[in-house]
Amino acid sequence: MKLKVLGSSSRGNCYLLESDDSVLAIEAGIPFREVKQALGWDISRLSACIVSHRHGDHAAHVKDFVSAGVTVFALPDVFTHAGMKNRVCCKEVWPGKGYRIGRWSIIPINVVHDVPCVGYIIEHPEMGRTVFVTDTMMLEYRIPRVSHYMVECNYADDVLQRNIDNGSVLPMMRERLHGTHMELETTKGIIAGADRSCLENVVLIHLSDGNSDEKRFVAEIEAVCGVPTYAADKGMEIDFSLLPF
Ligand SMILES: [Zn+2]
Ligand SMILES: [Zn+2]
């Protein structure tokens, strides 16, 4: 099992979880052509795509996935905004309900953003349990036996303040970011309070271009969790195989 990062920023998000026999895409925020290329032009390997919310950097290309015959799992809000209600390949999800896609299972969980948004608990026998959480100010749940976290670490308050002070970021952004995206200390709190008995690695996602500090974020989170920690970058591949504990 491998995680491939095809995009992880406000310019476009998409990740592939690749098992031996199938691939699950997370987010449809990059052109489908790039996804096809990453799959070696064999889209029959793609089981489905799961989407967190309607914003363009996560859902701008949902239509292209559906047109290619890929089943997309997302909140009804995502399909309404894409103008594609009731299509066969559009599967509406409800937070807290479980869905099976071949050997994958997913459970959407509510998070806190400025539009309806979900994270996902994703399971596969070769991977164990992955928690995917992005575009949220916090995570309310403590999920047991997580092997892999893909968790937003968007900005640090002090970096943001420095940017506001030097005029490169508008002061109004402070309030917007506080209510919609995950700050370093919040991410740290989630990892510090998590059940880490099965934890193998942590992938920090959706880092802000200007208000983050990749090396520092990785070092600070790694110090808390004690397992290899990465900041997701386009083109990165990370082993997500389940280790026998
Ligand atoms: Zn986003
Ligand atoms: Zn968003």
Side-chain angles (χ1 to χ4, degrees):
M1 180 71 67
K2 228 187 306 176
L3 167 70
K4 273 190 189 167
V5 180
L6 305 189
S8 183
S9 73
S10 55
R11 287 185 305 281
N13 293 273
C14 185
Y15 310 87
L16 299 181
L17 288 172
E18 288 199 356
S19 81
D20 285 344
D21 57 359
S22 69
V23 180
L24 182 71
I26 310 173
E27 309 288 35
I30 65 166
F32 189 62
R33 174 180 25 90
E34 294 177 28
V35 179
K36 279 199 287 196
Q37 191 176 9
L39 291 166
W41 311 102
D42 179 11
I43 61 165
S44 67
R45 294 167 60 217
L46 192 55
S47 295
C49 176
I50 61 177
V51 172
S52 62
H53 67 298
R54 79 161 94 122
H55 285 158
D57 56 324
H58 301 261
H61 302 277
V62 160
K63 244 183 192 161
D64 296 338
F65 280 71
V66 170
S67 300
V70 179
T71 303
V72 175
F73 289 76
L75 289 169
D77 181 67
V78 172
F79 299 122
T80 306
H81 279 266
M84 31 193 341
K85 279 295 251 189
N86 304 325
R87 299 259 195 102
V88 182
C89 288
C90 300
K91 296 276 185 223
E92 296 186 350
V93 298
W94 301 96
K97 200 171 174 309
Y99 302 85
R100 277 207 80 86
I101 310 161
R103 296 172 77 207
W104 302 92
S105 68
I106 58 162
I107 303 174
I109 49 173
N110 271 321
V111 297
V112 187
H113 199 36
D114 53 356
V115 298
C117 185
V118 287
Y120 287 95
I121 301 169
I122 307 162
E123 292 183 355
H124 188 284
E126 293 170 23
M127 175 182 76
R129 181 173 292 167
T130 293
V131 170
F132 172 80
V133 182
T134 190
D135 290 53
T136 179
M137 64 179 286
M138 46 111 79
L139 180 67
E140 282 182 277
Y141 314 98
R142 186 177 185 273
I143 299 151
R145 300 182 309 282
V146 177
S147 296
H148 318 273
Y149 269 99
M150 298 170 68
V151 60
E152 179 177 34
C153 195
N154 187 260
Y155 69 102
D157 259 331
D158 58 333
V159 181
L160 174 64
Q161 191 56 51
R162 212 183 308 138
N163 289 336
I164 290 173
D165 291 344
N166 70 26
S168 58
V169 170
L170 290 174
M172 59 170 281
M173 278 306 283
R174 164 174 271 273
E175 208 176 319
R176 175 171 143 65
L177 282 176
H178 277 186
T180 55
H181 287 282
M182 199 101 83
E183 202 266 339
L184 171 62
E185 292 303 320
T186 313
T187 310
K188 225 188 266 181
I190 290 169
I191 299 299
D195 172 4
R196 300 197 295 277
S197 57
C198 303
L199 190 62
E200 294 177 29
N201 46 30
V202 173
V203 183
L204 305 177
I205 60 174
H206 209 293
L207 273 69
S208 153
D209 281 341
N211 302 318
S212 68
D213 179 340
E214 198 175 299
K215 276 205 179 111
R216 170 183 157 201
F217 286 13
V218 167
E220 291 193 20
I221 299 288
E222 204 162 45
V224 170
C225 65
V227 297
T229 302
Y230 310 87
D233 264 329
K234 195 177 174 141
M236 192 177 248
E237 291 188 14
I238 300 165
D239 189 357
F240 261 37
S241 305
L242 184 66
L243 294 176
F245 278 95

